[in-house]
Amino acid sequence: MAMPQAATAPGPDSPGSELGDVIIEMKKVNKWYGTFHVLHDVDLQVRRGERIVICGPSGSGKSTLIRCLNQLEEHQQGEIVVDGVTLNAHMPRIDVVRREIGMVFQSFNLFPHLTALENCMLAPMKVRGLSREEAERIARTYLERVHIPEQAGKFPVQLSGGQQQRVAIARSLCMNPKIMLFDEATSALDPEMVNEVLDVMVSLAESGMTMLVVTHEMGFARRVADRVIFMDAGEIVESAPPSQFFANPQNERTRQFLGQILSGNRTPAPA
Amino acid sequence: MAYQFEFADVFAYWPELLRGALHTLVLSGLAMVIGMVVAVLGALGKTSGPRWLQWILDAYIEVIRNTPFLIQIFMIYFGLPAAGVRLSSETAALLALVVNVGAYGIEIIRAGIESISKGQIEAGKSLGLRPLQIFRYIILKPSIQAIYPSLTSQFILLMLNSSVCSAIAAGELTAAAGDIQSRNFRSFEVYFVVTCMYFAMSVLFWGAFAAIERAWLRKPSLR
């Protein structure tokens, strides 16, 4: 094929030498929506504790990529191994893999008929089999960690977007996941609420969580990412530590994208 | 010559009327509860069951919704014995009501299920919940909330429809009324009183549905 080769995943010389073993491995992953080739020979290796920001124009496949990791989307070719388990469509117990992978969505997706607290308690009780008391204790711990313990008894419609998204993060954390996926977690928020959610994500990143974050918040990428990945047309075009990624992008498409996004970026990079 | 209303002749049969009304309440209430179970399971089958099951459910729903209720009762009461199943008129009436309300209920609840956004299901999946857990803990209650008015209207219709069961002498209110007016020849007075009793029972059921909504389905409001 005439398509340019995707940048290879970084070797052991990549930043964050304190990182652990490989927890996610994607090899030559391909996916099509009908005839639309949404993931094209994607190779990606993520190590335990690594924080990766994925950016790129809309339709570039970045959301699809992380959604393949918990098989909300199935891939048609290639291999995906998550924490030692090779994923494929129609695995009978895909739920066993999913319970170890938290996911935060653009549209929050809190359960409207449950309070914030109950949203956080449901999976620990029904999936982990914890008692109501234990689940509640954990839920309150994480609601505190996302700075909204006082909203525990409220229903999602009674919360602001920023609060809902922080509950959604707490809900995922209550499962004590090994990996957290963020799919444009701040894109649906009013500007004044973006930072309260980003702050939670930053503190989570600092705690050593393995994170894959699809976002346009380049300030966040600069601040916490070990690696920034740029995708375009279903390919990983560039993958580099943020310092290198922003100062000296190798690929023309990356330069174009950064030119567009940084000129209009509303959140300045923190010092 | 003006007609002389004679309600005293009706109230002489008050105990029979009350027994008939109680019968209607029990018959309808049971049919609602069992019909609800049929509707929920059927809707689950229609939205996520195997193809063959969906086909069977479609056939069931279309047959029931496109044939008269009276004929359905006759099929169960007079038709089933030919297949070796002999039911009492009470059991046949209950079965007919359940079969009937189940078909409408499946379609109503299916509409509720389809109103749930895909994101809800994805959130459940990503938390590691299994398909039946997602249905039970995430989809079911908001679905019922969404279609509760249609569902309760259907249940009221079921209660009113139970009067058709008098055709097989199921001993409910309309059957009792027919019995009484054949003895005292006061058909207008009897049916006037029975009309009021049906209306009162409807009010009773609406009240119960509203109480259930407040207790179990209360939608959170902005505070």
Side-chain angles (χ1 to χ4, degrees):
Chain A
M1 281 207 201
M3 303 295 286
Q5 270 302 301
T8 49
D13 57 335
S14 60
S17 48
E18 76 281 7
L19 296 173
D21 56 325
V22 172
I23 188 166
I24 296 172
E25 173 103 59
M26 299 177 87
K27 279 187 199 153
K28 293 252 171 285
V29 171
N30 281 279
K31 178 176 175 62
W32 291 263
Y33 288 126
T35 57
F36 179 58
H37 201 167
V38 61
L39 291 180
H40 190 108
D41 280 345
V42 168
D43 286 308
L44 177 67
Q45 221 182 43
V46 181
R47 294 163 71 197
R48 226 175 273 274
E50 200 172 3
R51 291 143 301 191
I52 293 181
V53 165
I54 305 173
C55 59
S58 73
S60 59
K62 51 198 191 304
S63 288
T64 307
L65 187 154
I66 64 167
R67 287 165 59 88
C68 280
L69 295 176
N70 61 359
Q71 291 285 290
L72 288 183
E73 304 284 352
E74 44 191 67
H75 58 293
Q76 281 117 16
Q77 261 180 30
E79 191 180 50
I80 304 178
V81 181
V82 175
D83 201 23
V85 180
T86 304
L87 308 183
N88 57 63
H90 316 300
M91 293 171 75
R93 295 304 305 268
I94 182 66
D95 56 295
V96 175
V97 179
R98 284 175 178 154
R99 64 173 74 151
E100 310 299 337
I101 307 175
M103 186 162 209
V104 178
F105 300 88
Q106 182 174 352
S107 49
F108 328 137
N109 295 341
L110 290 181
F111 307 130
H113 57 300
L114 302 178
T115 63
L117 186 70
E118 291 165 338
N119 262 278
C120 294
M121 289 165 62
L122 179 65
M125 287 172 65
K126 302 303 173 190
V127 178
R128 300 269 191 226
L130 297 186
S131 68
R132 176 166 284 277
E133 296 70 34
E134 183 68 355
E136 179 170 344
R137 192 188 60 74
I138 293 172
R140 290 197 187 278
T141 307
Y142 282 106
L143 285 174
E144 197 144 334
R145 203 162 141 191
V146 300
H147 315 301
I148 38 173
E150 72 285 358
Q151 311 288 0
K154 291 207 176 157
F155 287 94
V157 293
Q158 297 164 328
L159 301 173
S160 72
Q163 291 171 327
Q164 287 191 52
Q165 193 60 300
R166 285 184 285 146
V167 173
I169 294 172
R171 177 175 70 176
S172 287
L173 293 177
C174 284
M175 286 297 284
N176 194 20
K178 294 174 178 157
I179 301 165
M180 283 288 287
L181 308 174
F182 291 83
D183 190 0
E184 306 216 21
T186 57
S187 300
L189 295 173
D190 291 335
E192 73 271 21
M193 294 172 182
V194 167
N195 281 327
E196 67 187 54
V197 172
L198 283 180
D199 286 347
V200 168
M201 290 166 64
V202 167
S203 83
L204 186 62
E206 286 165 352
S207 77
M209 175 67 75
T210 308
M211 292 166 70
L212 279 86
V213 182
V214 171
T215 185
H216 293 131
E217 298 290 338
M218 291 301 117
F220 175 81
R222 277 207 179 87
R223 191 159 155 202
V224 304
D226 297 301
R227 202 158 24 120
V228 184
I229 287 174
F230 173 69
M231 288 186 74
D232 190 26
E235 292 177 300
I236 294 183
V237 172
E238 187 138 357
S239 168
S243 52
Q244 197 181 319
F245 182 88
F246 291 109
N248 189 18
Q250 300 297 304
N251 190 291
E252 178 53 33
R253 282 188 278 176
T254 317
R255 279 196 287 273
Q256 262 180 17
F257 177 78
L258 285 177
Q260 285 162 2
I261 196 169
L262 291 181
S263 60
N265 204 15
R266 58 173 182 244
T267 43
Chain B
M1 193 182 83
Y3 181 79
Q4 292 287 311
F5 291 101
E6 204 49 81
F7 282 98
D9 283 356
V10 179
F11 291 116
Y13 293 95
W14 194 234
E16 271 181 57
L17 285 173
L18 277 186
R19 215 169 322 137
L22 186 67
H23 215 109
T24 293
L25 284 176
V26 171
L27 183 65
S28 315
L30 273 176
M32 286 174 200
V33 172
I34 304 172
M36 183 71 187
V37 174
V38 172
V40 168
L41 294 179
L44 176 60
K46 256 210 87 166
T47 48
S48 45
R51 188 64 53 85
W52 60 266
L53 181 62
Q54 293 186 20
W55 193 87
I56 290 174
L57 288 168
D58 276 339
Y60 160 56
I61 290 163
E62 293 311 324
V63 166
I64 295 303
R65 293 204 308 179
N66 294 291
T67 53
F69 181 53
L70 183 60
I71 304 301
Q72 294 164 16
I73 296 177
F74 285 165
M75 282 302 288
I76 287 172
Y77 189 58
F78 298 118
L80 281 187
V85 184
R86 201 168 294 277
L87 301 172
S88 70
S89 59
E90 270 76 15
T91 315
L94 178 62
L95 182 60
L97 286 169
V98 166
V99 165
N100 185 267
V101 81
Y104 289 92
I106 288 174
E107 284 298 82
I108 292 171
I109 292 182
R110 184 185 59 80
I113 290 174
E114 283 169 2
S115 75
I116 304 301
S117 80
K118 207 164 136 258
Q120 291 287 307
I121 295 158
E122 289 183 347
K125 282 181 180 172
S126 70
L127 286 166
L129 291 158
R130 307 198 69 184
L132 278 179
Q133 292 179 314
I134 292 174
F135 180 75
R136 181 163 163 208
Y137 300 116
I138 297 174
I139 297 177
L140 188 57
K141 196 166 167 182
S143 307
I144 293 175
Q145 275 173 344
I147 47 79
Y148 197 66
S150 324
L151 188 68
T152 49
S153 299
Q154 192 65 48
F155 281 167
I156 293 295
L157 273 178
L158 152 77
M159 192 273 286
L160 300 178
N161 254 338
S162 72
S163 69
V164 180
C165 299
S166 62
I168 55 167
E172 40 64 69
L173 182 55
T174 304
D179 208 41
I180 293 165
Q181 65 91 26
S182 74
R183 277 179 278 158
N184 70 1
F185 306 110
R186 289 289 175 186
S187 18
F188 176 80
E189 286 88 340
V190 170
Y191 286 118
F192 180 79
V193 170
V194 164
T195 301
C196 295
M197 291 174 80
Y198 271 112
F199 190 83
M201 287 192 288
S202 288
V203 171
L204 193 71
F205 271 112
W206 284 122
F209 296 148
I212 290 170
E213 184 168 30
R214 274 194 305 277
W216 186 65
L217 293 176
R218 104 201 108 92
K219 283 188 193 140
S221 55
L222 285 163
R223 248 184 264 145

